[in-house]
Amino acid sequence: MVGMRYAEVAVDAAVAHSRTFSYSIPPRFSVEAGQLVWVPFGRRVLQGLVVELVGMPKVPETRAILQTVEPSPLIRPHHLQLGRWISGHYRCSLFTAIAPLLPPGFEAHVRSRITVVPDADSKTSNLRPESADALAKLGAKKAGLNEADFTKLLGNNGNRELTRLVDKGLVRRRLIMPRPTVTPKYEAFLMPSPQVSHDSSLSARQEGLLAAVREQNAPYPIALANKEFGNGVGQALFSKGLVAMEWVRADSARIARPSPEGGRQQHTLTSHQSDALSKITEALDDPKIKPRSFLLHGITGSGKTEVYLRAIDQVVRQGRQAIFLVPEISLTPQTLERVNAWFPGRVAVVHSRLTPRQQFDQWWDIREGKYDVVVGPRSLLFAPLAQLGLIVVDEEHEWTYKQIETHPLYHARASALQLGRITGSPVLLGSATPDVETYHAATRGWHTLLELPARVSAGPDRVSRLAEVQVCDMRRELREGNRSIFSRVLAQSLQDCVAAGHQAILFLNRRGASSIVQCRDCGHVVTCRRCSVSLTYHSTQSSLLCHTCNRRTRMPSTCPSCGGTHIRQLGAGTQRVVEEVKKLMPEATVDRLDADVTRSGQNTEETMARLTSGDTQVLVGTQMVAKGLDVPNVTLVGVVLADIGMYLPDFRAGERAFGLLCQVAGRAGRGEAIGQVVVQTYNPEHYAIQAAAAQDYSALYEYEIDSRREIGSPPFNELVHLVFQNRNDDQALRVATETGRTLTLRAVAQGLTEIEVIGPAPGIPSRIRGRYRWHLTLRGRRLLRFIEGMEFPPGCTVDVDPVHVL
Ligand code: ADP
Ligand code: ZN
């Protein structure tokens, strides 16, 4: 049809990546790209996002868009482009890729109600008895029934039967397209209308309100009018044309706390800092500078945050906005305070503790340009900033930047680089221990490498020394008769530290009172029956907990395998470490920080505050203590057992152990006193321990990059991880094996013999929440092209560029 317009729509259905569907646009409404609409899809009605307007549909027959969800577009073109990239790269439907870009609360499903057609009784002959029954029950309900409930009444093949009943004209289907659960909140105001003529028919209350509105120099809130003069009085004046009414979107409460001291600390930058900053400035000023991404590599305390803040400041001065991504918001209170102090009142802190209402209001405030800087976790990359100027990814090596549970399985760092490319914004990646892949990319010139090789201290030209790291061989301690969880060195250092009025942190990358439970007679380790991971002993409930499915069981008194009585917990958890510290120093104030404490509702920030204020003398914690803390009086860090996590069958295990140890070590000696770090281990020769002890990133990098080149791990190859889950173990294994075979044949048929199909292997854990897990790993180049068009079986999760391969 001439002049007809069509929309390409990303539909909220399980469809192939990047796929859109053509719909016609009814002449009665205007539709734009980025707008959310309701569309018919098969027999359903779904939400969809208009991706582009076209003159020609992709198919000869199109159906029409039913309704718009919001009158104007929600998503801007650069974000649509980002959504397309995420859909294509991470293999999810375009709608799934775009959903994180929508305001919170906008995803909704249509509800469908079934009612009886009144005069249809005569046609009910030759119906199935169940259908006749169901019709009778439906007839008794005036408001009808939800489609799902009615289908249940119809019994087997209820869906097909329902279609027949609709076709026969016996029942009617009515669709309810819900409004978003949260919508902008408006406040109404009354204003004097230019019409001055007096209406003598006004009631006393109407007279009173009219006078009040005319007297007030500012718009008069209708809420106040209702309170003072009664409900409906304002509305009556408005109907008579005596006042005008204005709707203003209600202002949300400011989330950013103004800084206590306020203002910026004016440091003189070190020469390394100013070199780094000037490189970034060049890119901010000149859109042609390439590359537009930077890796800021500097040990903790080298002044990276200072560089981020100055770069953001320049962006803000140019009238643009910055995104500042952090791995986890609750662990960075000090960083947040510094950002707030630099940009008072102009910082939006996005985190999951906000109510849906606050999240929603914040989304619109960001969109309306009320903030210059937005700080938050990975999903913040999708904040609707209009004039993006810079993206900072702090601690870029953190694997929390990858979404692993729900689609899209995107990596925020890779996606940030993509958004940077789309918008021309520089991307600043920062880390003390960069991801080996990121560093490799920098050595190839894909990012500009900026190094901050030394710590800054209070004075601009003084450089405080790194903590001294001592590796302590626990096998020797045992041989020499020390059965305590503390080596003699650590015990002595703890006592000295506290006696000197300093503070200490003890680190353990595992929570619970004590770790695995093992039989000393036969070596059996007690595992979760559902998840097959080892259980952890918790002394408070004297029970065993599965850290995968959260199931709790009683501590056995005899070994379930051999019946022996020498069954007990091995290794130590944070609670046990706290007890040992108290035994060693009964007077000391000991605090604990781990996921258990956080989950029990206690505030991480309060624990941090107690440490910062000096109340806590010894803090015992898991990886949560490894990050962000900057307390000058902490002079000792003890790593109770460094081995945990080093032996996972994941090619990144060594890199992660190194990163964690370095971060923990970085907690010591941030002030003038030199820090001391004691690392206890049963394997002092391990390369990750050696490199961490020397705080030598390049040693770690060289070792890693050589071994990865040899094995063919990333960055020398790409990975796609396929996880098959099923309640039936054999079934899961069978589907995984079949898929593996299909992929192998496909590689052979395409002559891509260098692509490897690894597995299937049981996952670690091999079972989660009653579902067995088997996995396959694809390794090679151009894997996306290789799997293009592949249909993966149900229950199979495709994870592109996985961060875990277990
Ligand atoms: P990082 O982010 O690398 O851990 P920070 O930027 O937090 O490092 O800097 C560490 C400490 O040094 C902070 O307390 C910061 O205020 C201070 N600092 C940073 N740059 C300077 C400087 N040029 N002169 C003096 N102090 C500085
Ligand atoms: Zn379990």
Side-chain angles (χ1 to χ4, degrees):
M1 206 195 292
V2 180
M4 191 75 175
R5 283 178 322 139
Y6 300 89
E8 285 300 316
V9 178
V11 179
D12 184 11
V15 297
H17 75 85
S18 312
R19 179 105 202 257
T20 59
F21 297 83
S22 306
Y23 287 90
S24 59
I25 304 171
R28 67 180 182 282
F29 36 79
S30 71
V31 167
E32 289 172 63
Q35 206 165 343
L36 202 57
V37 292
W38 288 107
V39 290
F41 190 76
R43 292 176 45 233
R44 294 176 294 166
V45 170
L46 302 173
Q47 274 191 345
L49 195 102
V50 177
V51 175
E52 72 183 309
L53 299 182
V54 291
M56 276 287 260
K58 281 195 289 200
V59 286
E61 295 282 315
T62 56
R63 296 162 82 182
I65 289 173
L66 297 176
Q67 197 172 303
T68 57
V69 176
E70 272 283 289
S72 56
L74 291 167
I75 294 183
R76 297 197 174 100
H78 62 270
H79 269 154
L80 280 178
Q81 239 173 300
L82 178 64
R84 279 181 193 263
W85 180 80
I86 287 176
S87 171
H89 191 84
Y90 295 106
R91 302 279 136 159
C92 59
S93 78
L94 188 50
F95 191 88
T96 302
I98 287 172
L101 293 156
L102 290 169
F106 260 65
E107 292 151 85
H109 298 285
V110 75
R111 290 193 306 270
S112 147
R113 278 192 92 75
I114 307 295
T115 47
V116 148
V117 174
D119 55 354
D121 293 354
S122 53
K123 298 180 242 166
T124 53
S125 55
N126 69 41
L127 275 183
R128 310 193 312 192
E130 299 102 303
S131 303
D133 267 7
L135 272 183
K137 286 191 181 126
L138 182 66
K141 307 256 188 221
K142 255 227 173 78
L145 283 169
N146 279 334
E147 174 163 338
D149 297 335
F150 183 62
T151 315
K152 237 179 262 157
L153 289 181
L154 290 173
N156 282 346
N157 288 324
N159 275 323
R160 204 177 309 152
E161 182 65 7
L162 174 60
T163 311
R164 278 184 49 215
L165 296 179
V166 173
D167 290 346
K168 280 186 167 181
L170 292 171
V171 300
R172 193 174 287 144
R173 188 196 259 124
R174 192 161 50 90
L175 296 176
I176 301 166
M177 288 172 264
R179 300 280 310 151
T181 46
V182 203
T183 52
K185 202 157 94 191
Y186 290 98
E187 272 167 24
F189 293 91
L190 298 175
M191 297 192 301
S193 115
Q195 185 182 343
V196 283
S197 72
H198 194 81
D199 188 330
S200 55
S201 68
L202 292 183
S203 72
R205 289 200 292 177
Q206 289 172 347
E207 288 277 9
L209 177 58
L210 186 59
V213 170
R214 283 181 177 156
E215 259 163 45
Q216 174 128 336
N217 274 329
Y220 193 93
I222 195 126
L224 185 63
N226 289 340
K227 190 163 153 256
E228 298 286 317
F229 300 93
N231 285 335
V233 177
Q235 189 64 45
L237 289 182
F238 175 70
S239 314
K240 290 177 191 234
L242 294 172
V243 295
M245 211 186 280
E246 189 186 58
W247 294 83
V248 177
R249 202 170 69 71
D251 232 358
S252 59
R254 272 281 137 71
I255 288 112
R257 280 172 293 152
S259 107
E261 289 97 326
R264 307 168 175 194
Q265 261 183 302
Q266 287 297 348
H267 296 302
T268 310
L269 292 186
T270 65
S271 59
H272 293 296
Q273 282 174 320
S274 53
D275 287 352
L277 185 63
S278 69
K279 286 270 175 38
I280 301 164
T281 307
E282 276 174 34
L284 288 173
D285 291 342
D286 182 356
K288 288 191 290 296
I289 295 271
K290 294 261 160 49
R292 302 190 65 68
S293 49
F294 300 85
L295 172 58
L296 183 60
H297 174 216
I299 53 171
T300 33
S302 61
K304 295 185 295 297
T305 309
E306 197 70 24
V307 174
Y308 304 152
L309 290 170
R310 308 251 179 165
I312 294 173
D313 190 45
Q314 298 191 5
V315 166
V316 171
R317 279 166 203 265
Q318 294 173 342
R320 291 181 289 165
Q321 299 115 28
I323 292 176
F324 189 148
L325 295 184
V326 292
E328 203 180 327
I329 205 84
S330 65
L331 300 178
T332 44
Q334 285 154 338
T335 305
L336 294 185
E337 252 165 52
R338 278 166 77 187
V339 182
N340 274 331
W342 267 75
F343 310 97
R346 305 291 299 161
V347 182
V349 179
V350 180
H351 55 83
S352 55
R353 283 207 307 273
L354 300 177
T355 65
R357 169 94 254 156
Q358 284 171 322
Q359 287 182 18
F360 184 85
D361 286 343
Q362 194 182 46
W363 192 93
W364 286 98
D365 284 348
I366 292 170
R367 189 182 157 93
E368 283 170 14
K370 289 198 183 160
Y371 298 109
D372 294 327
V373 189
V374 290
V375 187
R378 60 166 184 263
S379 61
L380 186 71
L381 188 67
F382 305 118
L385 295 172
Q387 287 287 330
L388 184 63
L390 175 72
I391 308 171
V392 174
V393 184
D394 190 21
E395 313 279 9
E396 62 82 30
H397 62 279
E398 285 289 341
W399 50 264
T400 47
Y401 281 125
K402 169 104 185 189
Q403 181 149 302
I404 55 171
E405 295 277 328
T406 41
H407 288 285
L409 301 174
Y410 69 99
H411 199 301
R413 182 183 61 217
S415 306
L417 290 167
Q418 197 58 34
L419 184 60
R421 248 166 250 146
I422 293 167
T423 58
S425 312
V427 179
L428 180 51
L429 312 171
S431 176
T433 53
D435 189 316
V436 167
E437 291 162 58
T438 310
Y439 199 87
H440 179 256
T443 64
R444 305 293 298 271
W446 301 327
H447 311 304
T448 299
L449 184 60
L450 309 169
E451 300 265 7
L452 299 180
R455 275 191 170 184
V456 284
S457 63
D461 297 319
R462 297 220 321 262
V463 168
S464 70
R465 279 173 56 193
L466 272 174
E468 284 164 6
V469 180
Q470 236 172 311
V471 177
C472 191
D473 185 348
M474 292 306 276
R475 296 170 307 192
R476 216 178 99 195
E477 291 290 316
L478 202 62
R479 276 203 303 274
E480 294 174 6
N482 177 15
R483 307 191 142 260
S484 152
I485 61 169
F486 297 138
S487 58
R488 288 157 296 180
V489 169
L490 184 54
Q492 190 58 53
S493 304
L494 262 176
Q495 286 167 314
D496 292 349
C497 170
V498 170
H502 295 307
Q503 293 164 283
I505 293 178
L506 293 178
F507 169 75
L508 197 79
N509 61 353
R510 172 193 300 196
R511 60 204 168 90
S514 191
S515 62
I516 57 171
V517 173
Q518 190 174 36
C519 172
R520 294 199 173 174
D521 294 333
C522 77
H524 175 78
V525 173
V526 183
T527 53
C528 172
R529 260 182 283 145
R530 272 162 54 178
C531 302
S532 74
V533 295
S534 51
L535 293 171
T536 301
Y537 179 75
H538 285 237
S539 74
T540 42
Q541 281 97 4
S542 165
S543 62
L544 300 175
L545 183 71
C546 170
H547 283 242
T548 299
C549 75
N550 219 23
R551 204 167 98 125
R552 204 175 275 283
T553 43
R554 292 228 334 262
M555 169 78 184
S557 51
T558 56
C559 172
S561 175
C562 76
T565 53
H566 295 108
I567 184 156
R568 60 196 53 159
Q569 58 271 24
L570 291 184
T574 46
Q575 246 167 286
R576 169 85 196 289
V577 175
V578 169
E579 286 159 21
E580 294 293 318
V581 177
K582 285 185 173 153
K583 252 186 247 167
L584 192 67
M585 300 178 294
E587 304 295 305
T589 315
V590 189
D591 208 349
R592 182 162 75 98
L593 181 64
D594 57 27
D596 284 342
V597 173
T598 318
R599 206 164 324 133
S600 71
Q602 289 182 51
N603 202 332
T604 311
E605 282 158 41
E606 281 167 20
T607 312
M608 299 284 199
R610 281 197 295 275
L611 184 76
T612 313
S613 70
D615 290 349
T616 302
Q617 288 174 294
V618 181
L619 178 66
V620 178
T622 55
Q623 29 269 62
M624 300 181 83
V625 303
K627 294 158 196 163
L629 276 174
D630 181 6
V631 181
N633 199 34
V634 171
T635 57
L636 172 68
V637 169
V639 177
V640 180
L641 192 58
D643 308 35
I644 304 167
M646 270 181 347
Y647 299 105
L648 287 174
D650 186 322
F651 71 94
R652 293 191 180 97
E655 177 183 12
R656 286 207 182 116
F658 169 82
L660 211 50
L661 289 175
C662 285
Q663 283 208 324
V664 176
R667 300 304 116 212
R670 310 256 318 189
E672 292 310 310
I674 292 174
Q676 188 194 357
V677 179
V678 178
V679 177
Q680 305 191 140
T681 173
Y682 287 99
N683 190 357
E685 299 84 20
H686 195 280
Y687 73 93
I689 301 242
Q690 292 276 321
Q695 304 223 11
D696 186 349
Y697 177 78
S698 62
L700 184 278
Y701 175 77
E702 295 301 335
Y703 185 98
E704 279 291 341
I705 211 75
D706 286 347
S707 74
R708 292 194 194 184
R709 190 179 284 117
E710 208 165 296
I711 306 164
S713 296
F716 301 101
N717 271 315
E718 299 163 11
L719 295 181
V720 172
H721 192 222
L722 304 171
V723 182
F724 301 82
Q725 299 200 58
N726 202 302
R727 293 196 179 279
N728 180 321
D729 197 14
D730 295 339
Q731 182 81 3
L733 173 58
R734 195 173 54 73
V735 177
T737 310
E738 273 168 18
T739 309
R741 203 171 295 139
T742 309
L743 286 164
T744 307
L745 290 175
R746 191 182 175 92
V748 171
Q750 297 184 10
L752 300 172
T753 42
E754 73 286 0
I755 288 183
E756 293 169 86
V757 181
I758 305 160
I764 296 182
S766 64
R767 201 175 178 195
I768 293 181
R769 291 181 197 95
R771 284 173 189 274
Y772 290 90
R773 295 168 75 240
W774 286 84
H775 63 117
L776 283 174
T777 307
L778 281 178
R779 189 161 68 186
R781 307 267 179 109
R782 300 203 186 94
L783 293 181
L784 288 181
R785 200 203 281 173
F786 170 61
I787 60 172
E788 182 61 55
M790 248 311 270
E791 289 214 9
F792 291 97
C796 168
T797 307
V798 180
D799 186 359
V800 178
D801 305 338
V803 290
H804 299 286
V805 285
L806 295 175

